[in-house]
Structures are given as structure tokens and as C-alpha cells.
Amino acid sequence: MASVLLNKRIEFCASHRYHKPEWDAAKNRAMFGACNNDPGHGHNYMLEVTVAGEVDQRTGMVVNLFDLKRVLLQVLEEFDHKHLNLDLPYFERQIPTSENIARVLWDKLQAQPDIGTLQRLSLYEDEDLCADLTAEAGQEVASVTRRYSFTAVHDGHRGHTWDLFVSVHGPIDRETGMVTDIVALDHLLKERVLVPFDGRDLRIVLATPSVTGEYLAKAVWDRIASAIPAGTLQLVKLVQTRDLFYEYAG
């Protein structure tokens, strides 16, 4: 019987700070931006876990959901309402970035016998930033997705507020704990997409008589793919409404 994937989401709260003590204040600020502010800042994290397994013929489930929730709560109890830099030993020598937190959680969940085979782990800091680990890629590589928004006219008379999700894939830097430089990525998107597009008629900006969602997703890709600060552009996703979105992956 083929494996079935099951996804479970659970929330926890924690605070953290991006900071390397061996760097001076200017270097920390340049690399981490507002995330370096002392004493740190908090998030309502959302953890999404994907497990795989065959459907049990007796229960009709891949894994007992009660057991999965119990394990997740047990693991997250150590993290919930903690300052990750100050309260947990895992981050004495590494920055508690989303990527590094995801790696720690992966190790803890992979060791649990009652949750099936761990396939994917997605950690949402908030609606604007998510880190993904997969069994296929391993724990030294991650994808980071950043959300942006802009409002533009694309067919001559109707404007839309577009949610733009940019995913970058690559190795997790051992020094910074990040796949890519988020401050530099934000600057790139602001310079090449958000400022040129926001409040504009996209037909004029892109010099084309018609702008579809598909065309726009590719246009965003073409503007940023060669300038990603680190890692490789993996996906551009444009959400027009809650019922309609477009994806482009090169």
C-alpha cells in the first residue's frame, strides 16, 4: 500500500534575538536588522509537521492523531514562552533563526517512535516568514519563504492587492543560521518589485498590452532571480485572491 501524508499544525510562543557576540554592533545590525534589537522580540510560531505512513486497516489513520498531538505538545513544552537565546542550551552557540529552530525540532521529532516517518517540517515565525526542512534534502539545507504585498492595476481598470511569496532554497549558513540574507532580500524586492509596481499600471511598467497573473509571476522571477543574495530562487507565488494564485519556478 502506498504511503499517505498527514499534516498537523500546532502553535507555541517564544522570543529570540539574532545576535553574534563576537561581532560588533554595526556588523550585527547590518546583517540582522531589527531582529538584532536588544533584548529580543516574540512570535506566535506555527509549526506544521508532515508525516508519512501506510493507512492502518483497523483505524483508517496513518498515525493516531491523539498520539501525534501529545508528542508535539511534549516537545514544544520546552520551547513555549521561553527566550530561546537565554533559556535553551541549543542556542548557546547558534542563533535561533527559523532555520536553526526547525533543525532542533526536527531532531527531537525524528526521535519519536509514535508519529510515523517525518517528511517535512515548516516553521512559521509569522505570516511573513517560514522555514521548511524536508527528509529528502536533509537538515543542512532549507527553504525560506518571505511574504511581501503590493497594490497595482493590471488590466486597465481594476486594482488588486497582491501577496507575493518568494522562496529561496540552499544550505543553512553555519555562522548566521540563515539560508539567505533577509535584510538584503527585502532590499532587493523593494528595489526591483515593490517600488516599481506599487500603485502603478503594470501594463506600463512591464511594457505589455496585457498582464495576466502568470505573466506577472514570471516577470517577478526574471527581475530577482539573478540577484538573490544567497541560496537559489526556488519559487515565486502570487496570490490574487484567497481562491486564486499563480506560481512560477523558473
Side-chain angles (χ1 to χ4, degrees):
M1 183 181 294
S3 291
V4 174
L5 299 179
L6 178 125
N7 297 288
K8 175 66 176 174
R9 286 184 168 186
I10 192 167
E11 293 183 342
F12 67 100
C13 302
S15 59
H16 65 164
R17 183 189 183 203
Y18 287 24
H19 182 75
K20 287 191 71 67
E22 58 268 36
W23 290 359
D24 62 26
K27 187 173 181 179
N28 271 292
R29 184 70 181 182
M31 174 59 67
F32 303 126
C35 290
N36 180 243
N37 289 349
D38 193 20
H41 57 280
H43 294 287
N44 294 320
Y45 287 95
M46 174 73 76
L47 175 64
E48 181 175 314
V49 174
T50 302
V51 297
E54 294 186 358
V55 177
D56 187 291
Q57 295 301 308
R58 296 178 297 105
T59 66
M61 296 186 291
V62 170
V63 61
N64 188 299
L65 290 175
F66 177 83
D67 290 337
L68 178 57
K69 183 177 181 180
R70 173 180 52 80
V71 168
L72 292 174
L73 288 172
Q74 288 175 349
V75 168
L76 292 178
E77 183 178 9
E78 184 180 12
F79 296 77
D80 195 33
H81 288 89
K82 299 292 176 60
H83 192 302
L84 302 179
N85 304 68
L86 305 178
D87 298 332
L88 298 182
Y90 318 111
F91 305 109
E92 290 179 354
R93 297 186 178 180
Q94 63 177 345
I95 300 171
T97 60
S98 296
E99 297 95 316
N100 279 337
I101 300 169
R103 287 201 294 189
V104 171
L105 292 173
W106 184 285
D107 284 338
K108 288 184 165 293
L109 291 171
Q110 193 174 40
Q112 299 293 328
D114 298 330
I115 66 167
T117 302
L118 189 58
Q119 289 292 309
R120 186 183 188 95
L121 187 153
S122 301
L123 182 66
Y124 296 82
E125 257 194 23
D126 50 36
E127 293 182 347
D128 296 332
L129 185 65
C130 175
D132 294 283
L133 298 180
T134 65
E136 180 180 6
Q139 296 175 61
E140 300 304 313
V141 176
S143 295
V144 172
T145 300
R146 187 78 160 154
R147 186 184 76 159
Y148 305 91
S149 295
F150 63 91
T151 300
V153 173
H154 71 104
D155 60 3
H157 62 278
R158 288 184 302 170
H160 286 291
T161 297
W162 302 83
D163 279 334
L164 169 61
F165 295 84
V166 174
S167 298
V168 179
H169 181 78
I172 301 171
D173 186 272
R174 293 182 178 274
E175 191 169 34
T176 66
M178 299 191 295
V179 167
T180 194
D181 184 334
I182 295 296
V183 174
L185 183 66
D186 289 348
H187 179 76
L188 172 67
L189 267 294
K190 180 179 180 180
E191 180 183 67
R192 298 197 179 184
V193 177
L194 304 182
V195 170
F197 287 7
D198 195 48
R200 301 288 303 281
D201 186 328
L202 296 177
R203 298 173 305 166
I204 297 174
V205 175
L206 300 175
T208 182
S210 178
V211 178
T212 62
E214 296 93 330
Y215 185 95
L216 183 56
K218 183 180 184 302
V220 171
W221 178 285
D222 291 342
R223 283 176 171 241
I224 66 174
S226 64
I228 295 297
T232 303
L233 185 59
Q234 183 181 39
L235 183 71
V236 167
K237 177 179 177 180
L238 271 171
V239 179
Q240 182 171 333
T241 69
R242 68 177 187 177
D243 301 319
L244 181 63
F245 65 87
Y246 307 88
E247 294 182 341
Y248 185 78

